Amino acid sequence: MNEELHKLLIVDDDETFSHVLARALGSRGFAVETARDADSAIVTARRQRPSSCVLDLKLGENNGLRLIPDLKAIVPDMRILLLTGYASIATAVEAIKRGAHDYLAKPVDADAVARALLDSDSGQADEEDLAEAPGAPLPLRRLEWEHIQRVLTECDGNISETARRLGMHRRTLQRKLSKHPVRERPAE
């Protein structure tokens, strides 16, 4: 690999996670820059022109999905890996539609991130692959989570509009969003 393939931008508002991941990927041959918000990510991308980006879905009050087209406009062939602690099929599909190459749920280790960034043979995931249902029906709480995530994505992360469309109080929606998603399959 040439040096250009190793330039990496990590965009995450969690300073500790970002620092640990940057050190781990740095030891794996990446030249790593970090940014804690969308504005500094744009500035860093313009200055460094990284070939890859690890982007967190939640950047404080902002949504990392909104940043994907801006980063792709700066470096069109940038490989973007979206990370989130709030994984859902709806956000995975939306991330791919906006130009992300891969999507991983936190917690994730540096080896998985490196594999996702360096595996150029796999190409973009198909929406059908992401939306494939598990063998057993999803639990009701998981279906609710998926629906909330889909509506939230349609509203570009606007909590008030999402709550209005779902017919629930804004605080109730925020409480549901602050919880980690339910497991896809009941424990056996």
Side-chain angles (χ1 to χ4, degrees), residues 12 23 29 41 48 56-57 75 87-88 110 121 127 146 149 151 156 166 173 179:
D12 198 311
R23 282 189 60 182
Q48 296 293 325
D56 190 24
L57 178 65
V75 183
S88 75
D121 296 333
E127 288 178 33
E146 294 292 339
Q149 291 299 315
V151 175
D156 289 327
L166 292 171
L173 176 59
K179 296 179 182 177

Side-chain angles (χ1 to χ4, degrees), residues 111-133:
D111 289 330
V113 171
R115 276 192 306 273
L117 293 173
L118 296 175
D119 186 17
S120 59
D121 296 333
S122 67
Q124 281 190 314
D126 292 337
E127 288 178 33
E128 296 87 31
D129 294 340
L130 292 170
E132 200 171 280

Side-chain angles (χ1 to χ4, degrees), residues 20 34 37 91:
V20 169
T34 61
D37 56 44
T91 53

Side-chain angles (χ1 to χ4, degrees), residues 125-173:
D126 292 337
E127 288 178 33
E128 296 87 31
D129 294 340
L130 292 170
E132 200 171 280
L138 293 175
L140 184 58
R141 288 184 5 201
R142 181 64 188 197
L143 290 172
E144 177 190 45
W145 173 261
E146 294 292 339
H147 181 66
I148 288 171
Q149 291 299 315
R150 184 177 50 77
V151 175
L152 183 63
T153 299
E154 289 172 1
C155 296
D156 289 327
N158 184 317
I159 301 290
S160 297
E161 178 62 18
T162 301
R164 187 187 67 71
R165 287 187 187 182
L166 292 171
M168 68 175 62
H169 195 278
R170 187 177 195 276
R171 284 190 207 136
T172 302
L173 176 59

Side-chain angles (χ1 to χ4, degrees), residues 66-86:
R66 292 184 186 156
L67 188 55
I68 294 172
D70 296 336
L71 292 171
K72 296 292 277 185
I74 296 167
V75 183
D77 59 342
M78 181 187 295
R79 186 170 184 81
I80 298 178
L81 169 63
L82 191 73
L83 296 183
T84 181
Y86 304 93

